[in-house]
Amino acid sequence: MTAPCLPLLCFSLLSLAPVAQAQEADPVLPYRPSVASPAQLPVPGQLEFEAGGLLSKTDDTRRASLPYTFKLAFTPEWGVLLEGEGFVRTRDETGRRETGVGDTTVVLKRAFVLDSATALGLEIGWKLPTAKDAIGSGKSDVTLNGIVSRDLGAVHVDANLNATRLGASDPGTGRVQTGWAASFSMPVSDRWGATAEVSGTRLRGAAATTQLLLAATYSPTPRLTIDVGMARGLTAASPDWSLFSGLVVPLGKLW
């Protein structure tokens, strides 16, 4: 996710290209802004870039970051993702501030397309501790994520269930964190769409988290999608609120 001005800047630059040419080229497949990922992969050979800005508050702590994702499919069934945070700034309850880059995650993805309306997916991700300890955990994590995607009329549903083997955990808590997410998106008009999602995590010995996410998307062409939205924590252990905005664009067709 980017600074708030970046989506508008990128939109201004990309709008210089002929609209007819953009419509004839392969469209992007946004994974933003929901927590849940779709089972499907982008068009094979098309390198896609997602970026945005994220601001969250939990009690007296604040966290701002610029998350990003690179997506590339080798075939309709196999692809890879590289994701992380290009910049992070935190402030704890004492007022102490930390800045730096975030952790980096490499994901291998397998899609099982059953028909035009249904697909299953499996992701295996390895988090590299590229952030300093004050920002990240300082340890590697491994995540296995199962996905079910389904079109129900005009509504697209993405359901995720995952388990993460944590490299570091607090005393008295488990080492395997489970997560879940159910995202519902639908078009509102030719260019506008809406997304609603509930998601959460569970870890033995720690309080569970649950949040509600609401977002709007705008696609002036099939090769550019801009999103803006917010998330609200539904449990005491969840962030109080989060605000985000970002975009999805293709960087080029590699083959």
Side-chain angles (χ1 to χ4, degrees):
M1 304 181 183
T2 58
C5 64
L6 185 55
L8 298 179
L9 174 60
C10 289
F11 171 63
S12 299
L13 294 175
L14 290 171
S15 64
L16 298 178
V19 174
Q21 180 179 353
Q23 291 176 340
E24 292 174 359
D26 294 321
V28 294
L29 176 62
Y31 283 17
R32 294 181 50 90
S34 59
V35 174
S37 297
Q40 295 85 351
L41 285 160
V43 174
Q46 177 166 275
L47 178 62
E48 295 185 5
F49 178 59
E50 304 190 353
L54 174 64
L55 175 65
S56 62
K57 172 186 177 296
T58 306
D59 296 328
D60 293 327
T61 67
R62 302 288 190 278
R63 193 178 195 277
S65 65
L66 301 178
Y68 65 86
T69 299
F70 292 92
K71 312 193 304 282
L72 179 64
F74 306 115
T75 70
E77 294 81 24
W78 289 97
V80 295
L81 290 75
L82 178 68
E83 51 194 25
E85 293 174 303
F87 178 78
V88 178
R89 173 177 291 170
T90 64
R91 189 188 73 188
D92 63 20
E93 61 276 0
T94 67
R96 179 183 176 183
R97 300 176 185 269
E98 295 286 350
T99 60
V101 299
D103 292 323
T104 304
T105 301
V106 180
V107 179
L108 176 65
K109 184 163 187 169
R110 173 69 160 95
F112 304 85
V113 180
L114 304 184
D115 54 46
S116 60
T118 310
L120 307 178
L122 187 64
E123 296 177 335
I124 301 176
W126 180 32
K127 189 201 80 174
L128 306 175
T130 53
K132 57 185 179 182
D133 292 352
I135 293 176
S137 66
K139 301 292 184 179
S140 295
D141 301 336
V142 177
T143 299
L144 181 64
N145 184 39
I147 308 169
V148 177
S149 294
R150 173 77 174 172
D151 290 332
L152 301 175
V155 179
H156 178 79
V157 181
D158 293 315
N160 287 197
L161 183 63
N162 53 67
T164 300
R165 173 68 177 179
L166 301 174
S169 59
D170 294 331
T173 63
R175 294 292 295 274
V176 177
Q177 176 177 278
T178 58
W180 59 274
S183 175
F184 305 85
S185 58
M186 64 178 295
V188 178
S189 66
D190 290 342
R191 297 185 178 184
W192 287 93
T195 298
E197 180 189 61
V198 287
S199 63
T201 63
R202 290 184 178 276
L203 179 67
R204 181 177 56 82
T209 69
T210 306
Q211 72 167 16
L212 170 66
L213 179 148
L214 299 173
T217 59
Y218 176 65
S219 300
T221 80
R223 291 171 63 78
L224 170 64
T225 297
I226 302 168
D227 63 71
V228 61
M230 66 171 295
R232 175 71 177 176
L234 302 180
T235 65
S238 307
D240 297 337
W241 54 260
S242 301
L243 301 175
F244 56 83
S245 180
L247 56 80
V248 184
V249 293
L251 295 183
K253 197 68 179 294
L254 304 186
W255 61 82

